[in-house]
Amino acid sequence: MRPSQPLGLLTVMKKVQVLAVLLGVVVLVVYFMLLFSGPVTTTTSTAFPVVVTSWLGEYGVEGMQSDLPTLYVITPTYRRPEQIPELTRLGQTLMHVPKLHWLVADDATSVNQQVVDYLKSIGIPFTYFLTPMPQKYSRRWFGYLPKGVANRNGAMMWLRLRATEGVMYMADDDNTYDLRIFQEIRHTKKVSMFPVGLVTHTGLSTPVLRDGRWVGWFDGWISDRVFPVDMAGFAVSIPFFLSVPEAEMPYIAGYEETGFLNNLHVTIDDIEFLADNCTKIYVWHTHTQKSKASSREILDKKYDGTNLRQLQEVMVVN
Ligand code: UGA
Ligand code: MN
C-alpha cells in the first residue's frame, strides 16, 4: 500500500477556493430561486380589489363632461397618522385639475371611513378601493419591501374593466405635484416621461436627451433596470394600456416601474419626452417625516364629554 501523501498547502488552498465558489453558486441559486419563485412573477394576479365607493363628485356626470381625455390618477395609500394630511395636500392639488378621476387604493382590509369622508368633502370624482398587500409578498429583500403594488394593480384591474380613453398616472400620496404636470400628461399617446426632482442622493431622475433625442437615463440607481425611472416620472395612455392585456406591476422592490413598463412591452420609440424636452421639473419625490407615536393622552377619561372626543375621530391615535 502506498502511504498517503500529506496535502500540500497549495492543494488545500485550491480545495478551499473551489468550495467557496461552489458555496457562492449555491447561495446565489437559492437566492434567485426564492426571488423569482411563484409570488414574485410579473403576471401573478392579486385578488380582485374591493371597490368600496365610487362617486362622480359634486357636479355629477356633468362635471365629467368635457372634450379633454380623462386623467385617471392612481394613489396608493395606507393607514398612519400622516395619511389624511398627505391626502389633503394631494387632494387639494387635484381639485384644480379638470376631467380627473382619482383612484385611491387603500392598503387595508376594512374601509377607512375618515378617508372616504375626506374624499367626499373635496368633491372630485373618486373611486376608493380596498387593496391589501397579500401576505405572501410581505417578505423583505435586503430590507426592502415593495410598496403600493397591490394598490396600483387593483386600480389597474378596475381601469381594464371601466376605462376606454384617457391617461393614467401613478401619484403616490406623499409626493408634490405642480399643476403643470397634469397639463403635460393629458394628451399622452402611448407613454410619456419627464423629470422627477428629489429622487435618491442624485436629487433627480430623468431621461437624458441630446438635441431633443433620448440618449440615456439619469437616476441614482440604474443597476440592471431597463427603465430606471421613478413611479412619478411617467404616464400611460389608456388605449395603449388596454392594448397589452394583463400587464401588471411586479412585487419586486425597486423594480416596480421597470417591471411594469417591460410588461407593457414599451420601447424607446413609444415614449414622448415632456416638460420642455425634460428641462422642467413639475413633480417632486418628497417624503414626510414620520411622526412619533402619540402619547395617547387624548384618551384620558378627564377629556370625556369634550371636543377632544370628536377630534380623536379624525386622527390616528397609536
Ligand atoms: C418609492 C417609489 O416612488 C414607489 O412608487 C415605490 O412603490 C417604492 O419606492 C418602492 O420601491 O417600493 P417611497 O417614497 O420609497 O416610494 O415609498 P412610500 O412613499 O412609502 O410608498 C409608496 C406608495 O405606496 C405611497 O403612496 C404609500 O402610501 C403606499 N404604501 C406604502 C402602501 O400602500 N402601503 C405601505 O405599506 C407602504
Ligand atoms: Mn414616497
Side-chain angles (χ1 to χ4, degrees):
M1 244 181 37
R2 210 160 56 97
S4 58
Q5 296 271 324
L7 288 173
L9 191 60
L10 215 65
T11 328
V12 174
M13 291 266 287
K14 266 192 185 155
K15 284 205 168 169
V16 169
Q17 273 175 2
V18 169
L19 271 176
V21 169
L22 273 178
L23 193 70
V25 169
V26 169
V27 168
L28 272 177
V29 166
V30 170
Y31 172 70
F32 280 104
M33 273 171 62
L34 281 171
L35 187 60
F36 294 109
S37 63
V40 283
T41 51
T42 54
T43 48
T44 321
S45 281
T46 45
F48 194 82
V50 184
V51 178
V52 180
T53 312
S54 209
W55 195 47
L56 273 176
E58 266 173 8
Y59 308 109
V61 182
E62 275 169 31
M64 286 300 280
Q65 274 171 0
S66 118
D67 293 341
L68 291 173
T70 310
L71 272 188
Y72 291 98
V73 173
I74 299 177
T75 298
T77 190
Y78 68 112
R79 187 179 165 84
R80 62 212 194 273
E82 300 82 11
Q83 183 178 31
I84 296 290
E86 302 285 27
L87 293 174
T88 302
R89 281 196 317 147
L90 177 50
Q92 308 237 346
T93 299
L94 300 183
M95 281 169 83
H96 299 281
V97 184
K99 196 79 181 288
L100 179 143
H101 192 119
W102 196 8
L103 305 180
V104 179
D106 206 347
D107 185 354
T109 49
S110 59
V111 175
N112 186 334
Q113 199 55 42
Q114 289 173 7
V115 170
V116 175
D117 289 347
Y118 178 70
L119 294 176
K120 282 191 170 161
S121 78
I122 59 173
I124 63 177
F126 72 88
T127 297
Y128 174 81
F129 302 86
L130 290 181
T131 48
M133 162 97 137
Q135 204 62 43
K136 58 182 174 179
Y137 299 117
S138 55
R139 65 177 176 228
R140 290 174 179 271
W141 291 103
F142 298 113
Y144 294 104
L145 203 68
K147 289 173 275 181
V149 177
N151 323 42
R152 300 188 192 100
N153 280 336
M156 286 198 282
M157 265 186 218
W158 183 93
L159 283 176
R160 287 199 183 276
L161 297 175
R162 302 292 181 93
T164 53
E165 56 74 43
V167 173
M168 70 164 148
Y169 180 56
M170 312 280 180
D172 287 357
D173 60 0
D174 55 341
N175 291 338
T176 306
Y177 306 87
D178 186 303
L179 289 175
R180 284 171 288 185
I181 198 61
F182 303 104
Q183 292 169 358
E184 290 279 329
I185 62 177
R186 177 82 68 178
H187 298 281
T188 297
K189 290 183 206 72
K190 288 182 175 174
V191 175
S192 56
M193 290 192 181
F194 34 85
V196 182
L198 287 176
V199 185
T200 68
H201 62 281
T202 52
L204 179 70
S205 173
T206 183
V208 181
L209 307 186
R210 178 162 292 153
D211 303 324
R213 290 183 66 84
W214 174 85
V215 291
W217 309 101
F218 184 86
D219 188 282
W221 186 59
I222 302 277
S223 182
D224 56 346
R225 295 193 296 166
V226 176
F227 296 102
V229 298
D230 191 76
M231 195 64 75
F234 66 92
V236 179
S237 84
I238 296 294
F240 181 72
F241 170 66
L242 296 179
S243 75
V244 191
E246 290 170 21
E248 284 193 340
M249 190 168 285
Y251 285 87
I252 309 176
Y255 288 83
E256 295 96 329
E257 299 88 350
T258 193
F260 175 56
L261 293 166
N262 271 333
N263 288 348
L264 279 175
H265 309 306
V266 175
T267 64
I268 293 293
D269 291 339
D270 293 328
I271 306 171
E272 291 160 71
F273 298 100
L274 303 180
D276 251 337
N277 272 332
C278 294
T279 58
K280 304 271 163 46
I281 297 177
Y282 295 141
V283 53
W284 304 86
H285 189 132
T286 41
H287 295 276
T288 301
Q289 196 177 343
K290 281 208 179 301
S291 42
K292 284 190 191 136
S294 54
S295 69
R296 299 172 67 88
E297 210 175 314
I298 194 171
L299 302 178
D300 198 307
K301 277 206 171 340
K302 72 180 178 205
Y303 296 116
D304 285 357
T306 74
N307 60 322
L308 293 200
R309 289 293 154 262
Q310 277 103 353
L311 289 173
Q312 179 195 329
E313 291 294 306
V314 292
M315 293 172 60
V316 172
V317 179
N318 56 9

